[in-house]
Amino acid sequence: MKALPPLSVLDLVPVPQGARPADALRSSLELARAAERLGYTRYWVAEHHNMTGIASAATSVVIGYLAGGTSTIRVGAGGVMLPNHSPLVIAEQFGTLASLYPGRIDLGLGRAPGTDQTTLRALRRTPQAAESFPDDVQELQALFAPARPGQAIQAVPGAGLEVPLWILGSSLFGAQLAAALGLPYAFASHFAPDALDDALMLYRRHFRPSKQLERPHAMVGLNVVAAETDDEARRLFTSQQQAFANLVRGRPGPYPPPVDDIDAYWTPAERQHASRMLACSVVGSPATVREGVARFAAETGADELMVVSAIFDPAARQRSYEILADVAGLGARRVEAPASAAV
């Protein structure tokens, strides 16, 4: 098998039914330690608000918790929804993290709110805040750059740390911005795959080298549920299928346990909608996962894969990442950084 690109972990810190956010956070730390031991490159968490099934709303706090409990793996945001915050506050937060854990912090930036419109108002933001996203990204870059003489506003800590930024997206907008600014790009194909091919093509074609990055670096999201058999993996995958059906119904909640018959749970319309969102998924035994992940990597030409294994039982979730690491040969190789010392 041709060597796979570097593999990283996206953890939404799911709160299973019957558990508490504190339980989910502890499970995520255990998984981060396992990911470090197994040879994954990054461990990212994402900002979501007012969702009882996700415990990563205070994203920078969670990153500090995970980074403090590990020692070598890069830890970061996949991502921070920048329109919800001032660039100065994010520069201070991630400058603090980079000061505490030098060389290990990533900052992925998205322009979606990470929530619904009602919660957006509770965050004291307006939908129009997303329109300033490109300017806010550049303001953040300036805050991480070395302070200039007489500079009136500085991030302390933050100035001069040049925390590596990523642009996240599921549309052509993010691809265009990442290319124009010369930043690495992460595409959310694990839940919004429709524009994947066009976005990658646009990003690579229009990329402009920058101080942070010499050539394009595209990371692509992929759901992977691995187990000892195909049948077992398909059953574990029903938790994620139910969760997406619940989103379609407008009733998200704690992460559901697997079921024996997913077709008894969702309607044909819900199945069609959820299956389209989950089209970039590899589910099965070690052999099935090896073949599926290799095919996806070849089709996308991804420089890195960001893997989501959204499984109800924490032990089964960790086992899924162990199987993937084994079939990918992560333990037998050390991953090189992208074409820049900063990323």
Side-chain angles (χ1 to χ4, degrees), residues 57-72:
T59 311
S60 60
V61 178
V62 177
I63 291 169
Y65 171 63
L66 298 174
T70 53
S71 58
T72 58

Side-chain angles (χ1 to χ4, degrees), residues 29-304:
L29 179 56
E30 291 177 7
L31 183 60
R33 289 170 171 163
E36 180 174 78
R37 183 177 68 251
L38 292 167
Y40 287 88
T41 303
R42 309 173 200 280
Y43 196 99
W44 282 6
V45 294
E47 177 184 349
H48 294 83
H49 297 281
N50 194 30
M51 299 188 73
T52 57
I54 296 177
S56 56
T59 311
S60 60
V61 178
V62 177
I63 291 169
Y65 171 63
L66 298 174
T70 53
S71 58
T72 58
I73 194 169
R74 297 192 68 93
V75 185
V80 160
M81 302 299 107
L82 193 53
N84 294 344
H85 313 275
S86 77
L88 176 60
V89 169
I90 296 303
E92 291 168 340
Q93 290 177 358
F94 280 79
T96 301
L97 289 168
S99 298
L100 293 170
Y101 310 104
R104 296 183 54 208
I105 301 299
D106 297 325
L107 176 50
L109 301 167
R111 66 176 182 133
T115 188
D116 54 65
Q117 296 301 311
T118 301
T119 309
L120 190 65
R121 289 192 290 272
L123 291 168
R124 301 299 189 265
R125 306 298 287 177
T126 67
Q128 290 71 37
E131 297 175 5
S132 64
F133 181 65
D135 293 334
D136 289 346
V137 172
Q138 292 178 84
E139 182 177 342
L140 193 53
Q141 286 182 305
L143 288 165
F144 282 134
R148 302 181 305 276
Q151 182 174 326
I153 302 296
Q154 298 184 32
V156 183
L161 296 182
E162 296 182 321
V163 175
L165 303 183
W166 292 67
I167 298 297
L168 314 183
S170 58
S171 68
L172 302 186
F173 180 91
Q176 292 171 319
L177 181 61
L181 297 180
L183 296 177
Y185 179 54
F187 190 88
S189 39
H190 59 289
F191 73 91
D194 289 352
L196 172 61
D197 293 339
D198 290 340
L200 292 179
M201 180 178 63
L202 189 155
Y203 171 64
R204 290 166 176 151
R205 178 179 296 172
H206 297 285
F207 180 85
R208 299 176 182 174
S210 67
K211 182 179 179 181
Q212 179 176 332
L213 198 62
E214 297 171 0
R215 58 180 181 267
H217 185 89
M219 181 159 59
V220 181
L222 178 66
N223 300 295
V224 176
V225 176
E228 306 307 324
T229 67
D230 287 342
D231 286 343
E232 182 183 357
R234 283 193 290 265
R235 185 176 187 278
L236 294 175
F237 188 49
T238 62
S239 291
Q240 194 169 10
Q241 291 172 315
Q242 292 175 77
F244 273 72
N246 292 341
L247 286 175
V248 174
R249 296 172 183 177
R251 297 199 300 271
Y255 209 64
V259 294
D260 292 328
D261 182 9
I262 186 62
D263 287 328
Y265 184 82
W266 57 16
T267 67
E270 290 168 348
R271 174 179 180 173
Q272 181 180 14
H273 193 94
S275 297
R276 181 176 178 179
M277 296 174 72
L278 292 170
C280 292
S281 300
V282 176
V283 179
S285 66
T288 300
V289 166
R290 181 187 300 111
E291 178 184 353
V293 173
R295 182 172 59 251
F296 182 77
E299 289 172 352
T300 61
D303 300 294
E304 192 169 338

